Each structure stands twice: as structure tokens, then as C-alpha cells.
Amino acid sequence: MKVPFLDLSLQHRALREPALAALTATYDATRFCLGKDVEEFEANFAKTLGYPRVLAMNSGTSPLHVACMIAGFGPGDEVITAPFTFISSAWGINYVGATPVFADIEPGTYNLDPEKVEAAITPRTKGIIVVHLFGQPARMDELIAIARKHGLYVIEDCAQAIGASYKGKPVGLMGDVGTFSFYPTKNLGGCGEGGAFVAKDEGVHIKARHIRVHGSDRRYYHDIVGGNFRMDGFQGALLNVKLPYLAGWTARRQAIAARYLAGITLAEVQLPEQPAYGRSVFHQFTIRHPRRDMLREHLTRAEVGTDLIYPVPLHLQKCYAGLGYGIGSFPVSELTANTCVSLPIFPELTDGQVDHVIAAVNSF
Ligand SMILES: *Cc1c(COP(=O)(O)O)cnc(C)c1O
């Protein structure tokens, strides 16, 4: 039995007719940038997922960039984030001229360790970018308490955590700003690039809306420095078709995860921790094993697709060589990068395929 790591064609084949009808309507109406489809998607997203207001943007990196602009981070400022994440979590800090500072993660949830965050704070620290990695919410109460104590701006990178909750609250509403991605491989994927910006505060929302369209409210009048962060009409149209399915897809991911958690019994495997405070949406199901590379080869021979997410922590990436970190700076992130392997988890997997993965892991 073959189990691919991810197969986007199944979902898109099933939705082909409504998707192409929606895209065709957008094409015929030439609603190419923002417009009705995007506005409807914003309203549906806010209502379905429990946000007061939402701005659709042109990638998941864009809302992080916009959030860093609004936070007022700049040269000389330090912003703390996790070293074990996708690089984009940190890019916004660089785009506004501030300096990324890393704090190590917890071994169980792969998310920021609040104690390490507190230890990384200096008089120059201005904010924290919290990542809810693999769909698992981070320890927000502790992180928000630290932020309040030190007057820090909090951005939640929810790119992998759409639909996840912390103590019953949707992720992205505990900090100042929450950001999302609709890159095709995400839990809610577009037919191209997309993202969203969620702010608790209406003033922040209005400012971000202006920044999204070249810093303007009125065409050709530019009150603040902005950029082009607009979502295109096709993404709004397709995401509107897909959004009603998200809750079912998420439930299926959680059911697959439950099957993995109950079924994987291989000695020395570390399964992802599920703290009682939150509900993960399992963007990834990532395990650790001391002989990870051999386990991965074993799974390949059993026709189970896997991926290494992520093989190199941010502080060891070449682009951040100038920050002064090295091997040993963040032992938990490094151990995780060296021992993690992600198993297939997407809604269209059958129970038979999931059981095949479990059997393949357990037979290592
Ligand atoms: C996908 C992702 C982003 C945003 O990426 P885009 O490719 O710009 O949509 C940001 N942070 C994390 C953790 C991600 O996984």
C-alpha cells in the first residue's frame, strides 16, 4: 500500500466543479484584486472561525510584515521568536530593520518555552512572535503574562493553526495580531498565495487595511507608508468554496492524529504532546526518534511518504549567520531538527492508509 506524504489532487478533484464555477464567475466579472469574492471570504472567515474582523492578504508572510510595521519595530529593537519554525515567522522582523532574537522551544509541543523567552529579554526587546507550530497552540497565558510585564507587542503566527483554540479561544486573539497563510499545503489552501491578518483592536485593523493598499484610504492619497498586500480575487473565490469544508477536514486530521497517538508504540518514539489547554488542528504530525534517518529509510521502503519539517533551525541558517548563534545555542531546537520526522496527515487519507503507516513505524 502506498501512502503519499501529501496529495493535494484528491481534494481539488472532489471540488473541481464548484471551484471552477466560482473561478469562472470571478474571471467573467474581472474581479482580480480584492473585490466582492475577497470581502465575502473575509466575512465568512470571521464568522466561521470566531474573529471580530479579518483582512485577506497576498501571502502568510505579508501579515507578519504588516504586523511588524504596525508594532513599530525598527533598527536597534529586538523581537523574540522560536528557532524551530518556518523561516517566514522571522522575516517580518528583518523587513522593518529590527533584529530577530531566538528563544528555545519545549521538547513536547515544539513551541516557545516561556522560561526561555523571559531569559532572552533585554532592555531592547520590543515584541514576541509566537508560533503555533504544526497546529498546536503555544502556552499563551505564560507568554502573555511575560509580554505584559515587559510591555511587549505580541504577534501570533497562526499559519499552521487555523481553527485551533487555546482554552476555548481561537488562536490569534490572545496577542495583539494574529496571522494566517493559505499557501496550498496549509489546512485551508488557496489556488496560489494567500494570507490573513486578524487584530483585536479596530484601529490596528484600519491601519493594516490602509497599509495593504499602498497606505491609502482614498485612491492616490497616501497618508502612511504602505505596500501592496492585497489578496487577488481568485483566491477569495476558491477559499469561499473551501471554507465550509474546513471544520470537517480539521476533525478528520484530529481523528487521524488520535489513531497515530493510540497506535504508535515503537520504543524510543516521542509523540507530540497534547496539553489539556488547547486543541491542535494537526497541520503536521511530527514524531522524534534517535535513529530518525534509519526510521525514515524504513518508512520509504514501506512506501510511506515522510518529510523533514524542519531540518535546520533558524539560528543555524546561513542568512542568520551574522546574529552570532552557533551549534549548541538552542539544544532543544537542534535535537528536534536532528530527530524529527513528519508522517502523512491530510483529510483524504483512509483509515487503512493510517493503519499502514502505524504498522510501518511499529515494525522498525
Ligand atoms: C506557511 C507559513 C508562513 C507563511 O508562509 P507563506 O508561504 O508566505 O504563506 C508563516 N509562518 C509559518 C510557521 C508557516 O508555516
Side-chain angles (χ1 to χ4, degrees), residues 7-62:
D7 183 353
L8 289 179
S9 73
L10 297 167
Q11 182 177 102
H12 292 90
R13 219 180 295 149
L15 292 175
R16 191 170 191 277
E17 282 184 21
L20 292 187
L23 294 170
T24 303
T26 304
Y27 181 91
D28 288 343
T30 66
R31 284 191 298 264
F32 295 139
C33 298
L34 296 176
K36 182 169 83 80
D37 306 285
V38 174
E39 284 164 26
E40 279 175 18
F41 172 62
E42 289 173 336
N44 292 338
F45 182 104
K47 197 169 131 218
T48 310
L49 290 153
Y51 296 101
R53 48 188 79 79
V54 176
L55 290 169
M57 294 192 178
N58 53 0
S59 76
T61 305
S62 290

Side-chain angles (χ1 to χ4, degrees), residues 59-62 64 85-86 88-89 131 133 157 159-160 181-183 186 193-194 310:
S59 76
T61 305
S62 290
L64 287 162
T85 178
F86 182 56
S88 179
S89 301
V131 187
L133 199 74
D157 180 347
Q160 303 186 0
S181 168
F182 308 117
Y183 186 73
K186 295 285 155 67
E193 307 284 348
Y310 297 92

Side-chain angles (χ1 to χ4, degrees), residues 267-339:
E268 296 183 274
V269 157
Q270 203 217 279
L271 295 165
E273 192 190 331
Q274 305 302 304
Y277 63 69
R279 287 277 283 159
S280 175
V281 292
F282 292 99
H283 175 59
Q284 301 295 349
F285 192 93
T286 300
I287 63 174
R288 297 205 282 122
H289 191 278
R291 290 178 307 285
R292 184 266 318 270
D293 293 336
M294 283 168 71
L295 170 60
R296 204 175 171 215
E297 281 167 29
H298 173 79
L299 294 174
T300 304
R301 279 193 298 274
E303 300 194 304
V304 171
T306 60
D307 204 355
L308 295 191
I309 308 175
Y310 297 92
V312 181
L314 303 199
H315 68 285
L316 299 179
Q317 297 286 352
K318 265 192 200 150
C319 64
Y320 286 143
L323 293 177
Y325 298 113
I327 291 173
S329 294
F330 302 105
V332 183
S333 293
E334 292 166 28
L335 177 72
T336 304
N338 291 334
T339 57

